[in-house]
Amino acid sequence: MLRSVAATIITTTLSLLTACSVKDQNIKVPEETRFTKIILAQGLDEPMELAPLEDGRVLFIERKGKVKLFDPELRATKTIAQLNVHSEFEDGLLGLTLDPGFKGNGWVYFYYSPAGSEWVQHVSRFKLADDSLILSTEKVLLKIPVQRETCCHSAGSLTFGPDNNLYIAVGDNTSSKKSEGYTPIDERPGRGPYDAQKSSSNTHDFRGKVLRIHPEKNGTYTIPDGNLFPKDGSKGKPEIYTMGCRNPFRISVDSKTGWLFWGDVGPDVGKPHPKRGPESYDEFNLAKSPGNFGWPYFIADNKSYIDFDFQDSISGKPFDPLKPENDSPNNTGQRFLPPAQPALIYYPYGESKEF
């Protein structure tokens, strides 16, 4: 499910942080009536990500393609561009981040779903000049092939880390509506959109991953040292930093350590089942180095799903987190995968015993 949080962040983050710090000092929090809420923008249509500028203005995007700019002096928001996007399912204008050298070059990066017959996501760079996003300056750094037959999981968050490397969150582009809340590994002919083995656990596919690239001045990119697979592409896409993600909706990179954090949205409803696997969990993940984070074979602290034949409804063995194996006919990459890494924090629909 899309979680449109940008507008809430604009108006509430400072007061929440203040309240948290006060509570940590065991000081009584003032009554809510002593605070004044100032509405900066309203009537937004699925705001996705935002980027504060040095002069106090805030650049933000809406999923259906609008690029907007908030001016704090005027307390006014205006639309400065409209991208032509495919906005069915969870696609659209999804990610935004500023170039580390934005003050001098005005470059802004977007992750979006271009309208048209080519089923892809774009990671593109544009130039922002004053109050205008110049659409003619677009440089498409990366195209990510996807399926648009059915929902879900587009992710799309962008952020820069140390050494000016760009991190790109890509969802598994897989529907779990037909797997009863358990892992979507439907290998029947024509059921590719329902098999996350084509994407998340496919070493030669961008989807279900967090990618890491180094943008160059001419609008291309190079591969930084230290990604999951060799730069020659022999064992997997060299852009991949972490794999085994479901829907890494928002990511963050610690500027000092280079550690990557992301939230991953889990399946819906599923309860523990002896023939299918664990209940549903949402996750917070931490990658101190590149790795495989398990989906669609594992969830939470490497709880194993059970191999399941959707044709005959027959259960096989639990997957092995030390030796994950992708034998799906929809897999175009390596059969044997890196060991699975557990989530940092994981929680089910009900009460969490661990957290």
Side-chain angles (χ1 to χ4, degrees):
M1 178 183 295
L2 288 172
R3 300 180 181 180
S4 303
V5 299
T8 304
I9 291 175
I10 293 175
T11 55
T12 63
T13 299
L14 288 177
S15 60
L16 285 173
L17 290 175
T18 302
C20 289
S21 64
V22 170
K23 287 181 179 179
D24 290 343
Q25 299 173 33
N26 295 318
I27 299 174
K28 184 179 179 181
V29 178
E31 296 295 328
E32 289 188 10
T33 54
R34 294 182 61 187
F35 292 93
T36 300
K37 180 184 292 185
I38 301 173
I39 298 175
L40 303 180
Q42 59 185 343
L44 306 182
D45 186 6
E46 296 187 67
M48 300 302 292
E49 282 198 314
L50 57 80
L53 309 184
E54 285 191 359
D55 60 9
R57 295 177 300 163
V58 178
L59 185 69
F60 65 96
I61 55 175
E62 295 178 345
R63 189 177 67 87
K64 293 173 185 174
K66 282 185 169 61
V67 181
K68 295 188 173 183
L69 193 63
F70 171 76
D71 188 322
E73 292 186 2
L74 300 176
R75 289 192 180 177
T77 299
K78 66 178 180 179
T79 299
I80 63 171
Q82 171 71 57
L83 271 63
N84 185 19
V85 300
H86 172 270
S87 59
E88 286 189 64
F89 309 126
E90 295 179 357
D91 284 347
L93 179 52
L94 305 173
L96 159 69
T97 194
L98 304 180
D99 188 88
F102 173 81
K103 185 176 180 180
N105 58 37
W107 292 342
V108 182
Y109 295 82
F110 295 106
Y111 183 105
Y112 75 98
S113 316
S117 59
E118 186 181 13
W119 291 1
V120 293
Q121 311 284 37
H122 281 184
V123 178
S124 290
R125 188 189 79 195
F126 295 83
K127 184 175 181 63
L128 181 69
D130 297 322
D131 288 355
S132 298
L133 186 73
I134 306 173
L135 297 182
S136 62
T137 64
E138 181 178 15
K139 296 286 188 181
V140 180
L141 280 75
L142 183 62
K143 290 185 177 183
I144 300 172
V146 294
Q147 63 84 15
R148 290 181 177 174
E149 298 174 54
T150 187
C151 198
C152 290
H153 310 149
S154 300
S157 185
L158 299 174
T159 193
F160 275 92
D163 301 319
N164 295 344
N165 293 324
L166 177 62
Y167 291 75
I168 306 159
V170 187
D172 71 357
N173 195 211
T174 302
S175 173
S176 59
K177 302 299 183 183
K178 305 295 183 179
S179 51
E180 293 79 43
Y182 301 98
T183 186
I185 51 173
D186 191 341
E187 299 176 358
R188 290 175 292 179
R191 301 289 289 178
Y194 300 88
D195 182 10
Q197 296 172 109
K198 71 178 180 306
S199 54
S200 295
S201 57
N202 185 345
T203 59
H204 285 67
D205 194 288
F206 289 129
R207 295 169 294 179
K209 314 290 194 303
V210 177
L211 312 178
R212 187 177 69 157
I213 63 176
H214 186 82
E216 301 293 341
K217 292 181 179 179
N218 63 359
T220 63
Y221 69 88
T222 53
I223 305 297
D225 294 334
N227 280 358
L228 185 57
F229 299 115
K231 293 184 181 182
D232 63 5
S234 59
K235 295 184 179 180
K237 292 284 189 183
E239 294 87 350
I240 296 171
Y241 187 71
T242 63
M243 63 180 295
C245 305
R246 185 174 186 261
N247 193 21
F249 192 69
R250 288 293 172 263
I251 59 176
S252 178
V253 177
D254 187 288
S255 61
K256 293 184 179 180
T257 64
W259 294 354
L260 168 68
F261 296 83
W262 72 96
D264 211 335
V265 183
D268 296 323
V269 180
K271 298 179 180 179
H273 194 290
K275 294 185 178 181
R276 301 297 295 275
E279 65 182 313
S280 303
Y281 287 87
D282 284 355
E283 299 178 349
F284 287 100
N285 286 285
L286 165 63
K288 297 181 180 180
S289 59
N292 175 18
F293 284 77
W295 182 258
Y297 304 124
F298 317 100
I299 201 165
D301 56 342
N302 278 349
K303 299 182 192 300
S304 298
Y305 285 107
I306 297 170
D307 200 1
F308 186 73
D309 185 333
F310 281 76
Q311 179 67 46
D312 301 316
S313 297
I314 297 175
S315 295
K317 297 180 179 180
F319 294 104
D320 183 354
L322 297 179
K323 298 179 180 180
E325 183 177 349
N326 184 352
D327 61 1
S328 169
N330 297 309
N331 179 31
T332 59
Q334 298 289 319
R335 177 166 183 161
F336 299 100
L337 309 177
Q341 306 297 313
L344 175 67
I345 299 172
Y346 45 93
Y347 51 96
Y349 271 71
E351 183 179 354
S352 169
K353 297 177 181 178
E354 297 85 359
F355 302 98

